[in-house]
Amino acid sequence: MLDAESLDADALVAHVRQHLGDVYGGRRWLLTGDVIQGAAGRHIADLGALGGSGCFVLAGCHGIGAVPDAPHAVLDVTGTDMMDGIRRSMTALEADIPVEIQARVDAWDPTGEARVIRALFASDRPVARRTVFGGRPAHWRVLEDKSTVDALWRQIGIPGAPSAVVPAVLDDLWAAHVQLDRGAGTVWSADNREGWHGGASGLRWVRSRADAEQAAEWMADHAWTVRVMPFLEGAPCSIHGIVFADHVVVLRPCEMVVLREPGTMRFSYAQAATFWDPDPADREQMRAVTRRTGEWLRDNVGYRGVFTIDGIMAAEGFRPTELNPRFGGAIGKLAGSLPELPLYLLHLALIEEGNAGSPPRDWQPQALEAVLVAAADTHRRGGAMQVLPGVKLAPRTAGLVWEDGDWRFTQDDEHHDVHVRLGPGTAGSLLMLQLTPESTPHGPLVAPRVVWPLAFLDAQWSLAIGPRQAARAVR
Protein backbone atom coordinates (compact mmCIF):
# COMPACT_ATOMS: atom_id res chain seq x y z
CA MET A 1 0.00 0.00 0.00
CA LEU A 2 1.29 3.46 -0.91
CA ASP A 3 1.88 6.15 1.70
CA ALA A 4 -0.55 8.92 0.73
CA GLU A 5 1.38 11.66 2.55
CA SER A 6 4.68 11.06 0.76
CA LEU A 7 3.21 10.16 -2.62
CA ASP A 8 4.27 12.30 -5.60
CA ALA A 9 2.04 12.99 -8.59
CA ASP A 10 3.81 10.63 -10.99
CA ALA A 11 3.70 7.76 -8.53
CA LEU A 12 0.02 8.37 -7.81
CA VAL A 13 -0.90 8.45 -11.50
CA ALA A 14 1.00 5.20 -12.07
CA HIS A 15 -0.75 3.63 -9.08
CA VAL A 16 -4.26 4.62 -10.24
CA ARG A 17 -3.52 3.60 -13.83
CA GLN A 18 -2.43 0.16 -12.63
CA HIS A 19 -5.85 -0.32 -11.02
CA LEU A 20 -7.58 1.03 -14.11
CA GLY A 21 -5.64 -1.44 -16.23
CA ASP A 22 -7.11 -4.24 -14.13
CA VAL A 23 -10.59 -2.82 -14.79
CA TYR A 24 -10.38 -1.97 -18.49
CA GLY A 25 -7.70 -4.30 -19.83
CA GLY A 26 -8.53 -7.29 -22.05
CA ARG A 27 -11.98 -6.05 -23.11
CA ARG A 28 -13.56 -4.37 -26.15
CA TRP A 29 -15.26 -1.01 -25.65
CA LEU A 30 -18.16 0.57 -27.56
CA LEU A 31 -17.80 4.36 -27.20
CA THR A 32 -21.00 6.37 -27.68
CA GLY A 33 -22.26 9.95 -27.56
CA ASP A 34 -24.03 12.68 -29.47
CA VAL A 35 -20.96 13.77 -31.47
CA ILE A 36 -18.47 11.20 -32.69
CA GLN A 37 -15.35 13.25 -31.92
CA GLY A 38 -16.57 13.82 -28.37
CA ALA A 39 -17.54 10.17 -27.92
CA ALA A 40 -14.05 9.07 -28.88
CA GLY A 41 -12.20 11.88 -27.08
CA ARG A 42 -9.06 10.55 -25.47
CA HIS A 43 -10.75 7.25 -24.66
CA ILE A 44 -9.27 5.31 -27.59
CA ALA A 45 -5.70 6.18 -26.60
CA ASP A 46 -6.37 5.78 -22.86
CA LEU A 47 -8.10 2.41 -23.20
CA GLY A 48 -5.36 1.15 -25.50
CA ALA A 49 -2.70 2.17 -22.99
CA LEU A 50 -4.68 0.43 -20.22
CA GLY A 51 -4.72 -2.85 -22.15
CA GLY A 52 -8.13 -2.62 -23.81
CA SER A 53 -8.70 -4.91 -26.79
CA GLY A 54 -10.12 -2.30 -29.16
CA CYS A 55 -12.82 0.36 -29.58
CA PHE A 56 -15.79 0.98 -31.86
CA VAL A 57 -17.24 4.53 -31.83
CA LEU A 58 -20.97 5.07 -32.39
CA ALA A 59 -22.54 8.54 -32.22
CA GLY A 60 -25.38 10.73 -33.33
CA CYS A 61 -23.47 12.94 -35.75
CA HIS A 62 -20.10 14.26 -36.89
CA GLY A 63 -18.52 17.15 -35.02
CA ILE A 64 -15.42 19.34 -35.16
CA GLY A 65 -12.07 17.72 -35.88
CA ALA A 66 -10.74 14.49 -37.30
CA VAL A 67 -12.83 11.32 -37.16
CA PRO A 68 -11.63 8.65 -34.71
CA ASP A 69 -8.84 6.30 -35.73
CA ALA A 70 -11.01 3.27 -34.99
CA PRO A 71 -14.08 1.57 -36.47
CA HIS A 72 -16.92 4.07 -36.25
CA ALA A 73 -20.42 4.96 -37.43
CA VAL A 74 -22.86 7.86 -37.10
CA LEU A 75 -26.65 7.79 -36.96
CA ASP A 76 -27.18 11.14 -38.76
CA VAL A 77 -29.14 12.68 -35.89
CA THR A 78 -30.12 16.35 -36.07
CA GLY A 79 -31.80 18.57 -33.49
CA THR A 80 -33.24 22.05 -33.18
CA ASP A 81 -30.76 23.12 -30.48
CA MET A 82 -28.00 21.64 -28.34
CA MET A 83 -30.32 20.01 -25.80
CA ASP A 84 -32.64 18.63 -28.47
CA GLY A 85 -29.67 17.20 -30.36
CA ILE A 86 -28.36 15.47 -27.24
CA ARG A 87 -31.77 14.01 -26.40
CA ARG A 88 -32.35 12.77 -29.94
CA SER A 89 -28.91 11.16 -29.97
CA MET A 90 -29.60 9.41 -26.66
CA THR A 91 -32.94 8.12 -27.97
CA ALA A 92 -31.39 6.92 -31.23
CA LEU A 93 -28.58 5.09 -29.43
CA GLU A 94 -31.00 3.35 -27.07
CA ALA A 95 -33.33 2.28 -29.89
CA ASP A 96 -32.74 -0.43 -32.49
CA ILE A 97 -29.93 1.05 -34.52
CA PRO A 98 -29.88 0.60 -38.33
CA VAL A 99 -29.39 -3.00 -39.41
CA GLU A 100 -26.20 -2.33 -41.34
CA ILE A 101 -24.60 -0.56 -38.35
CA GLN A 102 -25.72 -3.29 -35.95
CA ALA A 103 -24.12 -5.84 -38.29
CA ARG A 104 -20.84 -3.92 -38.19
CA VAL A 105 -20.87 -3.82 -34.39
CA ASP A 106 -21.65 -7.55 -34.22
CA ALA A 107 -18.84 -8.37 -36.65
CA TRP A 108 -16.43 -6.31 -34.56
CA ASP A 109 -17.63 -7.97 -31.33
CA PRO A 110 -18.97 -11.42 -32.35
CA THR A 111 -19.25 -12.69 -28.75
CA GLY A 112 -21.30 -9.70 -27.57
CA GLU A 113 -19.01 -9.20 -24.59
CA ALA A 114 -18.02 -5.59 -25.33
CA ARG A 115 -19.15 -3.03 -22.78
CA VAL A 116 -20.56 0.39 -23.60
CA ILE A 117 -19.07 3.67 -22.43
CA ARG A 118 -21.81 6.29 -22.68
CA ALA A 119 -21.61 10.08 -22.51
CA LEU A 120 -21.65 11.87 -19.16
CA PHE A 121 -25.38 12.69 -19.34
CA ALA A 122 -26.61 9.26 -20.48
CA SER A 123 -28.61 6.58 -18.70
CA ASP A 124 -27.74 2.94 -18.02
CA ARG A 125 -29.80 1.62 -20.96
CA PRO A 126 -28.00 -0.77 -23.38
CA VAL A 127 -26.67 0.35 -26.75
CA ALA A 128 -26.41 -1.95 -29.78
CA ARG A 129 -27.41 -4.85 -27.49
CA ARG A 130 -24.34 -4.31 -25.29
CA THR A 131 -24.36 -3.62 -21.54
CA VAL A 132 -23.38 -0.19 -20.27
CA PHE A 133 -20.35 0.13 -18.03
CA GLY A 134 -20.77 2.61 -15.19
CA GLY A 135 -24.34 3.53 -16.10
CA ARG A 136 -26.28 5.88 -13.83
CA PRO A 137 -29.30 4.21 -12.20
CA ALA A 138 -32.65 6.00 -12.22
CA HIS A 139 -32.61 6.89 -8.51
CA TRP A 140 -29.44 8.91 -9.10
CA ARG A 141 -30.71 10.62 -12.25
CA VAL A 142 -33.84 11.97 -10.54
CA LEU A 143 -31.66 14.03 -8.21
CA GLU A 144 -30.90 16.35 -11.14
CA ASP A 145 -34.46 17.71 -11.11
CA LYS A 146 -34.10 21.44 -10.48
CA SER A 147 -37.61 21.64 -9.03
CA THR A 148 -36.74 19.35 -6.12
CA VAL A 149 -33.11 20.15 -5.35
CA ASP A 150 -33.82 23.03 -2.95
CA ALA A 151 -35.58 20.59 -0.62
CA LEU A 152 -32.43 18.46 -0.76
CA TRP A 153 -30.20 21.42 0.15
CA ARG A 154 -32.40 22.06 3.18
CA GLN A 155 -32.19 18.39 4.16
CA ILE A 156 -28.40 18.44 3.95
CA GLY A 157 -28.25 21.79 5.77
CA ILE A 158 -26.80 23.92 2.96
CA PRO A 159 -27.88 27.59 2.62
CA GLY A 160 -29.71 28.39 -0.60
CA ALA A 161 -31.63 31.21 -2.18
CA PRO A 162 -35.36 31.50 -1.41
CA SER A 163 -37.51 29.69 -3.93
CA ALA A 164 -40.97 28.33 -4.63
CA VAL A 165 -42.03 25.29 -6.66
CA VAL A 166 -45.38 25.84 -8.32
CA PRO A 167 -47.46 24.31 -11.12
CA ALA A 168 -46.61 25.41 -14.66
CA VAL A 169 -49.63 27.72 -14.69
CA LEU A 170 -49.39 31.47 -15.31
CA ASP A 171 -51.31 32.63 -12.22
CA ASP A 172 -49.20 30.49 -9.87
CA LEU A 173 -45.96 31.42 -11.59
CA TRP A 174 -46.74 35.14 -11.54
CA ALA A 175 -47.67 35.05 -7.85
CA ALA A 176 -44.35 33.36 -7.05
CA HIS A 177 -42.50 35.91 -9.19
CA VAL A 178 -44.09 38.86 -7.37
CA GLN A 179 -43.26 37.31 -4.01
CA LEU A 180 -39.62 36.51 -4.80
CA ASP A 181 -38.52 39.32 -7.13
CA ARG A 182 -35.83 41.46 -5.47
CA GLY A 183 -35.85 44.01 -8.28
CA ALA A 184 -33.90 42.15 -10.97
CA GLY A 185 -36.57 39.62 -11.82
CA THR A 186 -36.77 35.88 -11.18
CA VAL A 187 -35.33 32.79 -12.84
CA TRP A 188 -37.70 29.95 -13.71
CA SER A 189 -36.42 26.38 -13.99
CA ALA A 190 -38.41 23.56 -15.58
CA ASP A 191 -38.73 20.19 -13.88
CA ASN A 192 -37.57 16.96 -15.52
CA ARG A 193 -40.84 16.04 -17.23
CA GLU A 194 -38.92 15.62 -20.48
CA GLY A 195 -35.87 14.16 -18.79
CA TRP A 196 -32.48 15.65 -18.07
CA HIS A 197 -31.86 19.16 -19.34
CA GLY A 198 -28.79 21.35 -19.09
CA GLY A 199 -26.93 24.16 -20.80
CA ALA A 200 -29.53 26.66 -19.47
CA SER A 201 -32.08 25.21 -21.91
CA GLY A 202 -34.83 24.97 -19.28
CA LEU A 203 -34.24 28.39 -17.70
CA ARG A 204 -36.03 31.69 -18.29
CA TRP A 205 -35.17 35.09 -16.77
CA VAL A 206 -38.52 36.81 -16.13
CA ARG A 207 -38.61 40.58 -15.55
CA SER A 208 -42.10 41.64 -16.60
CA ARG A 209 -45.66 40.45 -16.96
CA ALA A 210 -45.08 40.03 -20.70
CA ASP A 211 -42.03 37.87 -19.97
CA ALA A 212 -44.10 35.81 -17.54
CA GLU A 213 -46.84 35.16 -20.06
CA GLN A 214 -44.36 34.01 -22.68
CA ALA A 215 -42.32 31.91 -20.22
CA ALA A 216 -45.45 30.32 -18.73
CA GLU A 217 -46.57 29.21 -22.18
CA TRP A 218 -43.21 27.53 -22.77
CA MET A 219 -43.17 25.93 -19.32
CA ALA A 220 -46.70 24.52 -19.75
CA ASP A 221 -45.50 22.70 -22.87
CA HIS A 222 -42.38 21.25 -21.23
CA ALA A 223 -42.90 20.92 -17.46
CA TRP A 224 -45.41 19.99 -14.78
CA THR A 225 -43.81 22.15 -12.09
CA VAL A 226 -41.41 25.08 -12.10
CA ARG A 227 -38.94 26.39 -9.55
CA VAL A 228 -39.04 30.18 -9.19
CA MET A 229 -36.16 31.96 -7.45
CA PRO A 230 -34.80 35.51 -7.38
CA PHE A 231 -32.33 36.44 -10.08
CA LEU A 232 -28.94 36.47 -8.35
CA GLU A 233 -26.30 38.78 -9.77
CA GLY A 234 -22.88 37.21 -9.52
CA ALA A 235 -20.52 34.67 -11.00
CA PRO A 236 -22.07 31.46 -12.39
CA CYS A 237 -19.82 28.70 -11.12
CA SER A 238 -19.57 25.02 -10.33
CA ILE A 239 -17.53 22.67 -8.21
CA HIS A 240 -16.98 18.92 -8.45
CA GLY A 241 -16.55 16.10 -5.99
CA ILE A 242 -15.64 12.45 -6.43
CA VAL A 243 -17.26 9.97 -4.07
CA PHE A 244 -15.13 7.00 -3.02
CA ALA A 245 -16.17 4.38 -0.50
CA ASP A 246 -14.12 6.01 2.26
CA HIS A 247 -13.51 9.61 1.16
CA VAL A 248 -15.07 12.46 -0.81
CA VAL A 249 -12.52 14.16 -3.05
CA VAL A 250 -13.30 17.86 -3.54
CA LEU A 251 -11.80 19.81 -6.43
CA ARG A 252 -11.38 23.53 -7.10
CA PRO A 253 -14.21 25.84 -8.24
CA CYS A 254 -14.74 26.49 -11.95
CA GLU A 255 -16.38 29.39 -13.74
CA MET A 256 -19.44 28.48 -15.76
CA VAL A 257 -19.27 30.73 -18.80
CA VAL A 258 -22.97 31.59 -19.03
CA LEU A 259 -23.73 34.61 -21.21
CA ARG A 260 -26.89 36.69 -21.40
CA GLU A 261 -28.84 37.35 -24.58
CA PRO A 262 -30.02 40.98 -24.41
CA GLY A 263 -33.68 41.48 -25.28
CA THR A 264 -34.58 37.88 -24.44
CA MET A 265 -35.22 35.74 -21.36
CA ARG A 266 -32.56 33.25 -22.40
CA PHE A 267 -29.12 32.47 -21.05
CA SER A 268 -26.45 31.17 -23.40
CA TYR A 269 -24.34 28.38 -21.92
CA ALA A 270 -20.84 28.83 -23.34
CA GLN A 271 -18.72 26.17 -21.57
CA ALA A 272 -16.44 26.54 -18.55
CA ALA A 273 -13.03 27.76 -17.44
CA THR A 274 -10.63 27.51 -14.50
CA PHE A 275 -8.92 30.91 -14.71
CA TRP A 276 -11.30 32.45 -12.15
CA ASP A 277 -10.20 32.58 -8.51
CA PRO A 278 -12.90 33.26 -5.93
CA ASP A 279 -11.96 34.75 -2.58
CA PRO A 280 -10.19 32.05 -0.49
CA ALA A 281 -13.03 32.05 2.07
CA ASP A 282 -15.60 31.62 -0.71
CA ARG A 283 -13.54 28.83 -2.21
CA GLU A 284 -13.50 26.98 1.09
CA GLN A 285 -17.24 27.52 1.52
CA MET A 286 -17.82 25.89 -1.88
CA ARG A 287 -15.53 23.00 -1.00
CA ALA A 288 -17.27 22.44 2.34
CA VAL A 289 -20.68 22.38 0.63
CA THR A 290 -19.35 19.85 -1.86
CA ARG A 291 -17.86 17.55 0.75
CA ARG A 292 -21.07 17.54 2.79
CA THR A 293 -23.14 16.82 -0.32
CA GLY A 294 -20.86 13.98 -1.39
CA GLU A 295 -21.12 12.38 2.03
CA TRP A 296 -24.92 12.63 1.85
CA LEU A 297 -24.96 11.06 -1.61
CA ARG A 298 -22.77 8.18 -0.48
CA ASP A 299 -24.64 7.51 2.74
CA ASN A 300 -28.21 7.91 1.43
CA VAL A 301 -28.24 6.72 -2.20
CA GLY A 302 -25.05 4.67 -2.40
CA TYR A 303 -23.46 7.12 -4.83
CA ARG A 304 -20.00 6.62 -6.32
CA GLY A 305 -18.02 8.71 -8.78
CA VAL A 306 -18.05 12.33 -9.86
CA PHE A 307 -20.85 14.79 -9.09
CA THR A 308 -21.26 18.51 -9.74
CA ILE A 309 -22.85 21.40 -7.87
CA ASP A 310 -23.71 24.46 -9.97
CA GLY A 311 -24.61 27.81 -8.49
CA ILE A 312 -23.96 31.53 -8.26
CA MET A 313 -21.28 33.30 -6.25
CA ALA A 314 -23.66 36.06 -5.18
CA ALA A 315 -23.28 38.98 -2.77
CA GLU A 316 -24.31 36.74 0.12
CA GLY A 317 -21.87 33.97 -0.84
CA PHE A 318 -22.18 30.77 -2.86
CA ARG A 319 -25.76 29.76 -3.49
CA PRO A 320 -26.20 26.34 -5.12
CA THR A 321 -28.86 26.04 -7.80
CA GLU A 322 -28.53 22.47 -9.06
CA LEU A 323 -26.99 19.10 -8.28
CA ASN A 324 -25.76 16.90 -11.12
CA PRO A 325 -24.92 13.37 -9.95
CA ARG A 326 -22.74 12.70 -12.96
CA PHE A 327 -19.51 13.76 -14.62
CA GLY A 328 -20.08 17.49 -15.14
CA GLY A 329 -19.04 19.53 -18.15
CA ALA A 330 -16.52 21.72 -16.32
CA ILE A 331 -14.56 18.79 -14.93
CA GLY A 332 -13.21 18.23 -18.43
CA LYS A 333 -11.20 21.42 -17.92
CA LEU A 334 -9.90 20.12 -14.58
CA ALA A 335 -9.09 16.71 -16.06
CA GLY A 336 -7.10 18.39 -18.81
CA SER A 337 -4.74 19.74 -16.17
CA LEU A 338 -3.57 16.17 -15.50
CA PRO A 339 -4.27 14.42 -18.82
CA GLU A 340 -2.32 11.28 -18.02
CA LEU A 341 -4.96 10.42 -15.39
CA PRO A 342 -8.21 9.46 -17.24
CA LEU A 343 -10.77 10.82 -14.78
CA TYR A 344 -13.84 9.75 -16.74
CA LEU A 345 -12.65 6.14 -16.78
CA LEU A 346 -11.98 6.36 -13.04
CA HIS A 347 -15.49 7.77 -12.54
CA LEU A 348 -17.08 4.82 -14.37
CA ALA A 349 -14.89 2.33 -12.53
CA LEU A 350 -16.05 3.72 -9.18
CA ILE A 351 -19.70 3.37 -10.21
CA GLU A 352 -19.16 -0.25 -11.25
CA GLU A 353 -17.31 -0.97 -8.02
CA GLY A 354 -20.20 0.42 -5.98
CA ASN A 355 -22.90 -1.32 -8.02
CA ALA A 356 -21.13 -4.65 -7.69
CA GLY A 357 -20.71 -4.21 -3.94
CA SER A 358 -17.12 -5.36 -4.29
CA PRO A 359 -14.38 -4.31 -1.85
CA PRO A 360 -13.01 -0.91 -2.92
CA ARG A 361 -9.64 -0.81 -4.56
CA ASP A 362 -6.83 1.14 -2.94
CA TRP A 363 -7.36 4.27 -5.04
CA GLN A 364 -5.53 6.58 -2.58
CA PRO A 365 -8.30 9.23 -2.72
CA GLN A 366 -6.73 11.62 -0.18
CA ALA A 367 -3.53 11.81 -2.22
CA LEU A 368 -5.56 12.02 -5.42
CA GLU A 369 -7.42 15.07 -4.07
CA ALA A 370 -4.19 16.91 -3.28
CA VAL A 371 -2.66 16.13 -6.68
CA LEU A 372 -5.76 17.05 -8.69
CA VAL A 373 -6.30 20.35 -6.87
CA ALA A 374 -2.65 21.32 -7.25
CA ALA A 375 -2.64 20.47 -10.95
CA ALA A 376 -5.84 22.42 -11.62
CA ASP A 377 -4.56 25.44 -9.68
CA THR A 378 -1.32 25.39 -11.68
CA HIS A 379 -2.56 24.60 -15.19
CA ARG A 380 -5.54 26.80 -16.08
CA ARG A 381 -7.78 26.09 -19.07
CA GLY A 382 -10.99 27.27 -20.65
CA GLY A 383 -12.82 28.99 -23.44
CA ALA A 384 -16.29 29.38 -24.86
CA MET A 385 -18.66 27.94 -27.41
CA GLN A 386 -21.78 29.00 -29.25
CA VAL A 387 -24.29 26.72 -30.92
CA LEU A 388 -25.45 28.00 -34.31
CA PRO A 389 -28.75 26.18 -34.81
CA GLY A 390 -30.17 25.34 -38.20
CA VAL A 391 -27.11 26.16 -40.31
CA LYS A 392 -24.34 23.92 -41.62
CA LEU A 393 -21.27 26.09 -42.09
CA ALA A 394 -18.03 25.00 -43.70
CA PRO A 395 -15.40 23.96 -41.13
CA ARG A 396 -12.65 26.47 -40.53
CA THR A 397 -10.01 27.33 -37.95
CA ALA A 398 -8.32 30.59 -37.05
CA GLY A 399 -6.23 32.32 -34.43
CA LEU A 400 -7.07 35.67 -32.85
CA VAL A 401 -4.75 38.16 -31.21
CA TRP A 402 -5.58 41.29 -29.20
CA GLU A 403 -3.67 44.26 -30.58
CA ASP A 404 -4.07 48.02 -30.21
CA GLY A 405 -7.43 47.72 -28.49
CA ASP A 406 -9.02 45.38 -30.99
CA TRP A 407 -9.04 41.80 -32.21
CA ARG A 408 -7.55 40.63 -35.49
CA PHE A 409 -6.85 37.29 -37.16
CA THR A 410 -3.33 35.95 -36.82
CA GLN A 411 -1.12 35.25 -39.81
CA ASP A 412 1.02 32.16 -40.49
CA ASP A 413 2.53 30.82 -37.25
CA GLU A 414 1.99 33.98 -35.24
CA HIS A 415 1.17 33.59 -31.55
CA HIS A 416 -2.58 33.64 -30.84
CA ASP A 417 -4.54 34.63 -27.76
CA VAL A 418 -7.60 32.63 -28.84
CA HIS A 419 -7.80 29.53 -31.03
CA VAL A 420 -11.05 29.26 -32.99
CA ARG A 421 -12.74 26.23 -34.55
CA LEU A 422 -16.00 26.14 -36.48
CA GLY A 423 -17.66 22.92 -37.55
CA PRO A 424 -20.76 20.72 -37.50
CA GLY A 425 -22.90 19.69 -34.54
CA THR A 426 -26.22 17.99 -33.87
CA ALA A 427 -28.08 21.32 -33.95
CA GLY A 428 -26.36 22.81 -37.00
CA SER A 429 -22.90 24.25 -36.43
CA LEU A 430 -20.69 24.83 -33.41
CA LEU A 431 -18.20 27.63 -32.75
CA MET A 432 -15.44 26.80 -30.25
CA LEU A 433 -13.00 29.29 -28.69
CA GLN A 434 -9.99 28.10 -26.69
CA LEU A 435 -8.19 30.71 -24.59
CA THR A 436 -4.40 30.54 -24.61
CA PRO A 437 -3.35 30.05 -20.96
CA GLU A 438 -0.26 32.25 -21.29
CA SER A 439 -2.40 35.15 -22.53
CA THR A 440 -5.25 34.81 -20.03
CA PRO A 441 -4.93 36.34 -16.55
CA HIS A 442 -5.67 34.27 -13.47
CA GLY A 443 -8.28 35.63 -11.08
CA PRO A 444 -10.94 37.51 -13.09
CA LEU A 445 -13.90 35.89 -14.79
CA VAL A 446 -13.27 35.02 -18.42
CA ALA A 447 -16.88 35.60 -19.53
CA PRO A 448 -16.24 39.32 -20.23
CA ARG A 449 -13.10 38.31 -22.10
CA VAL A 450 -14.90 35.96 -24.52
CA VAL A 451 -17.72 38.39 -25.35
CA TRP A 452 -15.34 40.52 -27.44
CA PRO A 453 -13.94 37.80 -29.74
CA LEU A 454 -17.45 36.38 -30.16
CA ALA A 455 -18.64 39.76 -31.42
CA PHE A 456 -15.61 40.03 -33.70
CA LEU A 457 -16.18 36.59 -35.22
CA ASP A 458 -19.91 37.24 -35.54
CA ALA A 459 -19.16 40.29 -37.67
CA GLN A 460 -16.27 38.83 -39.66
CA TRP A 461 -17.88 35.48 -40.46
CA SER A 462 -21.56 36.54 -40.53
CA LEU A 463 -22.56 33.95 -37.91
CA ALA A 464 -25.79 35.66 -36.74
CA ILE A 465 -24.94 35.04 -33.07
CA GLY A 466 -26.20 38.40 -31.91
CA PRO A 467 -25.10 40.41 -28.88
CA ARG A 468 -23.94 38.72 -25.71
CA GLN A 469 -23.37 40.06 -22.21
CA ALA A 470 -21.35 38.63 -19.35
CA ALA A 471 -22.19 38.21 -15.70
CA ARG A 472 -20.15 40.26 -13.25
CA ALA A 473 -18.44 39.31 -10.04
CA VAL A 474 -19.97 40.90 -6.94
CA ARG A 475 -17.58 39.54 -4.32
Side-chain angles (χ1 to χ4, degrees):
M1 180 173 178
L2 298 177
D3 179 359
E5 293 186 359
S6 62
L7 192 65
D8 64 35
D10 290 340
L12 174 66
V13 169
H15 175 75
V16 173
R17 287 181 67 91
Q18 182 178 0
H19 282 306
L20 291 175
D22 295 339
V23 174
Y24 289 97
R27 187 188 294 274
R28 292 179 179 270
W29 297 95
L30 178 61
L31 309 178
T32 66
D34 59 323
V35 175
I36 196 164
Q37 286 85 348
R42 289 181 47 92
H43 296 334
I44 295 174
D46 287 335
L47 289 166
L50 294 173
S53 299
C55 297
F56 190 110
V57 190
L58 177 61
C61 74
H62 286 286
I64 298 174
V67 297
D69 185 18
H72 59 271
V74 296
L75 302 177
D76 294 326
V77 172
T78 59
T80 58
D81 56 26
M82 180 181 71
M83 192 68 244
D84 184 56
I86 291 173
R87 283 204 183 111
R88 288 175 183 267
S89 295
M90 290 173 59
T91 300
L93 288 166
E94 293 167 0
D96 290 334
I97 62 175
V99 173
E100 63 275 14
I101 296 179
Q102 183 67 59
R104 288 183 58 198
V105 174
D106 292 341
W108 167 77
D109 176 40
T111 64
E113 295 178 353
R115 299 291 296 275
V116 181
I117 291 179
R118 301 203 62 181
L120 57 90
F121 41 75
S123 72
D124 55 356
R125 297 186 181 96
V127 176
R129 304 171 191 162
R130 269 73 182 173
T131 302
V132 172
F133 184 84
R136 299 190 301 146
H139 68 280
W140 293 358
R141 299 197 301 272
V142 298
L143 295 173
E144 289 200 39
D145 194 324
K146 298 169 184 61
S147 71
T148 61
V149 72
D150 286 351
L152 178 60
W153 300 135
R154 290 191 293 270
Q155 183 178 348
I156 300 174
I158 293 172
S163 66
V165 178
V166 299
V169 176
L170 175 59
D171 288 347
D172 297 299
L173 289 164
W174 181 248
H177 167 87
V178 171
Q179 177 186 0
L180 293 167
D181 184 7
R182 296 175 174 176
T186 58
V187 176
W188 297 5
S189 304
D191 64 17
N192 280 20
R193 184 179 102 183
E194 296 181 335
W196 169 84
H197 60 85
S201 61
L203 303 184
R204 296 295 184 272
W205 182 8
V206 175
R207 284 159 285 182
S208 67
R209 177 71 183 192
D211 284 350
E213 291 172 356
Q214 183 180 346
E217 183 177 358
W218 187 90
M219 292 292 174
D221 289 339
H222 298 277
W224 290 305
T225 58
V226 179
R227 181 188 68 191
V228 180
M229 65 185 300
F231 174 81
L232 301 177
E233 185 62 79
C237 52
S238 69
I239 186 166
H240 297 76
I242 312 175
V243 179
F244 291 78
D246 56 351
H247 184 70
V248 176
V249 166
V250 178
L251 305 180
R252 62 157 286 135
C254 299
E255 175 186 355
M256 301 297 290
V257 186
V258 180
L259 306 178
R260 301 167 188 176
E261 301 183 15
T264 79
M265 293 181 286
R266 303 295 298 269
F267 298 97
S268 177
Y269 171 72
Q271 261 200 0
T274 61
F275 297 102
W276 172 63
D277 285 319
D279 179 88
D282 291 333
R283 170 175 165 139
E284 290 311 306
Q285 180 208 3
M286 292 182 71
R287 298 188 81 239
V289 164
T290 306
R291 198 174 307 279
R292 192 185 311 171
T293 302
E295 291 168 350
W296 186 95
L297 287 169
R298 180 192 59 205
D299 297 342
N300 289 271
V301 298
Y303 193 80
R304 296 292 186 274
V306 173
F307 69 97
T308 309
I309 299 174
D310 291 349
I312 304 292
M313 185 58 72
E316 57 265 54
F318 178 63
R319 292 297 179 261
T321 57
E322 59 186 84
L323 170 65
N324 298 317
R326 55 175 166 81
F327 201 88
I331 200 172
K333 306 302 179 188
L334 299 170
S337 301
L338 195 65
E340 57 271 28
L341 182 62
L343 269 185
Y344 192 61
L345 299 184
L346 173 59
H347 163 68
L348 300 180
L350 290 172
I351 294 174
E352 283 289 310
E353 184 177 85
N355 289 343
S358 55
R361 294 175 181 271
D362 176 25
W363 296 107
Q364 294 287 313
Q366 290 89 349
L368 183 64
E369 178 172 348
V371 167
L372 285 171
V373 170
D377 282 342
T378 303
H379 305 289
R380 308 298 182 95
R381 304 174 72 247
M385 71 173 189
Q386 288 289 278
V387 177
L388 311 175
V391 292
K392 291 290 185 181
L393 301 175
R396 61 170 83 178
T397 62
L400 300 180
V401 64
W402 180 255
E403 183 179 82
D404 298 328
D406 202 359
W407 290 97
R408 66 169 176 83
F409 290 112
T410 57
Q411 300 177 0
D412 301 324
D413 295 329
E414 184 182 10
H415 165 81
H416 57 259
D417 297 321
V418 181
H419 178 63
V420 182
R421 295 183 298 162
L422 176 67
T426 55
S429 299
L430 186 65
L431 179 70
M432 301 286 292
L433 279 64
Q434 186 69 31
L435 298 174
T436 303
E438 298 78 16
S439 305
T440 308
H442 297 185
L445 298 171
V446 302
R449 194 174 185 86
V450 302
V451 167
W452 307 332
L454 282 174
F456 173 81
L457 291 164
D458 195 15
Q460 294 293 318
W461 288 354
S462 302
L463 300 177
I465 295 174
R468 295 290 185 264
Q469 295 177 344
R472 61 184 180 88
V474 295
R475 286 176 68 87

